[in-house]
Amino acid sequence: MQYPNNIKKNFTKLNISHSNRGMNLENALNLTNDYYLKKDRALIYKKPTPIGVVDVSYNNHKKIIEKAYFKEQSTLDYNGLYRGKYIEFDAKETLNKTSFPLSNIHEHQTLQIRNVIKHGGIVFLIIRMNDIVYLLTGEDYISYIDNNNRKSISYKYIEDHGHIIKMGYQPQLDYLSVVDQIYFKGE
Amino acid sequence: MQYPNNIKKNFTKLNISHSNRGMNLENALNLTNDYYLKKDRALIYKKPTPIGVVDVSYNNHKKIIEKAYFKEQSTLDYNGLYRGKYIEFDAKETLNKTSFPLSNIHEHQTLQIRNVIKHGGIVFLIIRMNDIVYLLTGEDYISYIDNNNRKSISYKYIEDHGHIIKMGYQPQLDYLSVVDQIYFKGE
């Protein structure tokens, strides 16, 4: 039986959230960002998914979307401000145990990663694989892309170059502690 | 005859774009940001308007939004990276000639302006009024808010504290030249 892509994705998410004490990566990051905001540690938000509106109606002074479709984000999903620095990242997960398929990262996202590096921002990927959450810097990601013709990143590369983000209660995924170590060491 | 709010807004926009050689503020900023991106000068994007999805359907592997409504942005509309710095701003316009109504700026946007200042980012408002486009720094905006109990900013305050953004052909609204003067002077 064939499922549409989006239903397949939901199945995948469901499987993932059954393992690893029910953590959903996107949800964990949103809660973490809310926590950082509340604690005045950083201003980091997930960008809304852009849509193309086809049809609207008006109900009692309010515009209602009657038909629309999701468009692709031209940047990474999360961005914001931390310790005076621009920060941007995306979160990706795979059930594949040996390699991370590069089809997960669109071409315009790779371009955005190159651009953020060039303009002096902090940029990285948060990758969940084998029930571990890694931070892979934009620099390490680009270095892999530019030096390999493969369609995936080997898990070994992620293990060797990625920085493990510890899971906890509050915040659920304290990725800024890893950012501190990588980008602000000695400060 | 009563129009719903959104239709009223569209009327207002239409009126505005009839004056001032047809410039639509949001459109001019989007074109300007595209130009900056193409010229590799900055990475600045308008955030998509967040929506609440009520109903979806699937058509040939594609998720279609069948009902949704617009939600309020919790940040300012534009953000990005310029010369290694985090930058965030919003664009506002009024047909009022003597004062800028503060009802145009939501409470959570004012809070966001305070937060960006606190965390070391660049934040400002782009205000069009009397066919002139001004950049008003977040600091000058907050200073007004904190020292006045009025429901609007007088045009005199905007004239005195705002920095005029010149309109041109490409880019249409070169606000980064003004940002250079205010935030990067002497560099």
Side-chain angles (χ1 to χ4, degrees):
Chain A
M1 180 178 170
Q2 282 285 322
Y3 291 105
N5 271 339
N6 283 296
I7 290 186
K8 258 197 226 152
K9 267 191 204 150
N10 286 341
F11 273 27
T12 312
K13 275 204 179 144
L14 221 60
N15 286 336
I16 285 182
S17 66
H18 275 298
S19 68
N20 213 346
R21 283 145 295 152
M23 193 190 72
N24 169 288
L25 185 58
E26 185 184 317
N27 195 38
L29 285 169
N30 290 341
L31 289 171
T32 299
N33 289 336
D34 286 350
Y35 178 85
Y36 288 151
L37 188 65
K38 218 176 78 191
K39 294 287 175 185
D40 213 15
R41 188 152 168 219
L43 305 176
I44 298 165
Y45 293 89
K46 183 174 191 294
K47 290 193 180 185
T49 306
I51 58 164
V53 175
V54 179
D55 196 15
V56 297
S57 71
Y58 291 90
N59 181 5
N60 212 5
H61 293 218
K62 224 178 125 84
K63 199 179 194 172
I64 312 284
I65 301 160
E66 292 292 350
K67 198 169 275 292
Y69 57 93
F70 290 106
K71 296 201 284 194
E72 258 180 31
Q73 197 78 268
S74 37
T75 62
L76 308 189
D77 275 354
Y78 300 83
N79 81 350
L81 175 59
Y82 178 54
R83 295 175 71 171
K85 286 279 193 184
Y86 179 86
I87 196 166
E88 178 164 340
F89 64 94
D90 218 305
K92 306 283 184 184
E93 47 193 336
T94 181
L95 291 175
N96 194 312
K97 291 188 182 310
T98 55
S99 66
F100 176 82
L102 285 170
S103 57
N104 278 315
I105 303 171
H106 300 291
E107 209 175 305
H108 57 258
Q109 293 187 311
T110 298
L111 178 63
Q112 178 73 2
I113 292 170
R114 290 184 198 276
N115 278 337
V116 175
I117 294 170
K118 192 160 51 177
H119 287 265
I122 292 172
V123 60
F124 52 85
L125 297 170
I126 290 179
I127 294 174
R128 177 152 66 159
M129 201 170 160
N130 291 320
D131 280 347
I132 302 174
V133 182
Y134 296 92
L135 185 156
L136 186 68
T137 66
E139 288 80 355
D140 281 333
Y141 168 71
I142 294 297
S143 161
Y144 186 90
I145 295 284
D146 286 349
N147 294 295
N148 290 276
N149 272 324
R150 297 178 54 194
K151 293 213 161 89
S152 61
I153 305 179
S154 68
Y155 184 54
K156 174 131 186 39
Y157 187 85
I158 292 171
E159 272 189 306
D160 287 352
H161 294 83
H163 306 259
I164 292 176
I165 300 170
K166 288 201 191 100
M167 291 176 238
Y169 172 59
Q170 256 192 340
Q172 286 204 342
L173 274 175
D174 188 17
Y175 65 87
L176 287 181
S177 296
V178 179
V179 166
D180 282 341
Q181 288 163 32
I182 303 172
Y183 299 95
F184 294 92
K185 56 188 165 205
E187 280 179 41
Chain B
M1 180 176 170
Q2 281 285 320
Y3 292 103
N5 270 340
N6 283 296
I7 290 185
K8 259 195 228 154
K9 266 191 204 151
N10 287 340
F11 274 27
T12 311
K13 274 201 181 150
L14 221 61
N15 286 336
I16 287 182
S17 65
H18 275 299
S19 68
N20 214 345
R21 285 144 295 151
M23 195 190 73
N24 168 288
L25 185 58
E26 185 184 317
N27 195 38
L29 286 169
N30 290 341
L31 289 172
T32 298
N33 289 335
D34 286 349
Y35 178 85
Y36 288 151
L37 188 64
K38 220 177 76 193
K39 294 287 176 187
D40 213 15
R41 189 151 169 220
L43 304 176
I44 297 164
Y45 293 89
K46 183 174 192 294
K47 291 193 179 186
T49 307
I51 59 164
V53 176
V54 178
D55 197 14
V56 296
S57 71
Y58 291 90
N59 180 7
N60 211 7
H61 293 217
K62 224 178 124 84
K63 200 178 193 170
I64 311 284
I65 300 161
E66 293 291 350
K67 198 169 275 291
Y69 56 94
F70 290 106
K71 295 202 286 195
E72 258 179 32
Q73 197 79 268
S74 35
T75 62
L76 309 190
D77 275 354
Y78 299 83
N79 82 349
L81 175 59
Y82 178 54
R83 294 176 71 172
K85 286 279 194 185
Y86 179 86
I87 195 166
E88 178 164 340
F89 64 94
D90 218 306
K92 306 282 184 187
E93 47 194 336
T94 181
L95 291 175
N96 195 313
K97 291 187 182 310
T98 54
S99 65
F100 176 83
L102 284 171
S103 56
N104 278 317
I105 303 172
H106 301 291
E107 209 174 306
H108 58 259
Q109 293 186 312
T110 298
L111 178 63
Q112 178 72 2
I113 292 169
R114 290 185 198 276
N115 278 337
V116 175
I117 293 170
K118 193 161 46 176
H119 287 266
I122 293 172
V123 60
F124 52 85
L125 297 170
I126 290 179
I127 294 174
R128 178 151 67 156
M129 202 170 160
N130 292 319
D131 280 345
I132 302 175
V133 183
Y134 296 92
L135 186 156
L136 186 68
T137 66
E139 288 80 355
D140 281 334
Y141 168 71
I142 293 297
S143 162
Y144 186 91
I145 295 284
D146 286 349
N147 295 294
N148 289 276
N149 272 326
R150 297 178 52 194
K151 292 213 161 87
S152 60
I153 306 179
S154 69
Y155 184 55
K156 172 128 186 41
Y157 188 85
I158 292 170
E159 272 189 306
D160 287 352
H161 294 83
H163 306 261
I164 292 176
I165 300 170
K166 289 200 192 99
M167 291 177 239
Y169 171 60
Q170 259 193 335
Q172 287 205 343
L173 274 175
D174 189 17
Y175 64 87
L176 287 181
S177 295
V178 179
V179 167
D180 282 341
Q181 288 162 33
I182 303 171
Y183 300 96
F184 295 92
K185 56 188 167 206
E187 282 180 37

